[in-house]
Amino acid sequence: MTSTISTPRTTDATGTRSRRPVPTPTPDTEFYWTEAAAGRLVVRRCLDCDVAYFYPRDFCPECLSTNVDWLPCSGRATLHTFVIEHRPGPGYEDDLPYVVAVVDLEEGPRMMTNIVGIEPDPDLLDLDMPLAVVFERRGEIAVPMFEPATGAAR
């Protein structure tokens, strides 16, 4: 995304104090973050070529049209690829190991995220496994992450 990142101390999803990065909305991403804070995942969709895309921007990456709108998402996705991180990024020092992933949203776009709610074990993370969005609150911002959909974990 085109947001800037700051790292103030916040409270993570478990209520624990954390230094995880907090995105700062920009004009292009403000609606996205407002919707995420309300527990809704949205992506942009081109009204000319009907392509849904992520990250939010005011033009279609497929046909370059500026005739775009917001598309509410189901919150369902599948795991495309992942890496288990053992060397933390800033703010994640207390979270090792953790899963960084690319997921395919049901609506079409791919999105980089974290997988939560499952042990970071490659034997438990199946490509194409069904996932569901969850939101981790970081102050006024809520960051979408994904967990195994009900019944998907082994």
Side-chain angles (χ1 to χ4, degrees):
M1 284 198 195
T2 58
S3 298
T4 58
I5 303 290
S6 60
T7 55
R9 187 165 289 280
T10 62
T11 303
D12 69 15
T14 65
T16 305
R17 296 289 280 173
S18 173
R19 291 190 59 85
R20 290 182 179 170
V22 178
T24 302
T26 66
D28 285 344
T29 64
E30 187 172 359
F31 184 78
Y32 172 82
W33 292 116
T34 299
E35 289 296 290
R40 295 183 293 265
L41 182 62
V42 295
V43 296
R44 286 296 218 169
R45 177 184 57 196
C46 179
L47 298 175
D48 289 336
C49 71
D50 203 36
V51 167
Y53 59 91
F54 185 82
Y55 65 90
R57 51 203 182 273
D58 288 335
F59 66 92
C60 174
E62 186 71 24
C63 72
L64 303 181
S65 171
T66 57
N67 187 20
V68 297
D69 201 359
W70 291 97
L71 174 66
C73 294
S74 66
R76 293 185 293 268
T78 56
L79 183 58
H80 177 72
T81 190
F82 68 93
V83 63
I84 298 174
E85 186 61 64
H86 293 273
R87 297 180 67 173
Y92 288 84
E93 294 84 359
D94 298 331
D95 300 322
L96 293 175
Y98 57 91
V99 180
V100 177
V102 175
V103 300
D104 292 321
L105 300 178
E106 184 174 75
E107 292 73 18
R110 283 194 173 144
M111 172 181 196
M112 183 175 255
T113 186
N114 291 106
I115 305 298
V116 297
I118 189 170
E119 289 297 316
D121 178 343
D123 291 333
L124 300 176
L125 295 161
D126 292 328
L127 298 183
D128 295 325
M129 74 185 293
L131 302 167
V133 72
V134 294
F135 293 89
E136 178 182 272
R137 181 138 320 261
R138 298 183 191 174
E140 297 297 314
I141 297 289
V143 178
M145 298 183 178
F146 287 81
E147 66 183 7
T150 304
R154 324 189 232 155

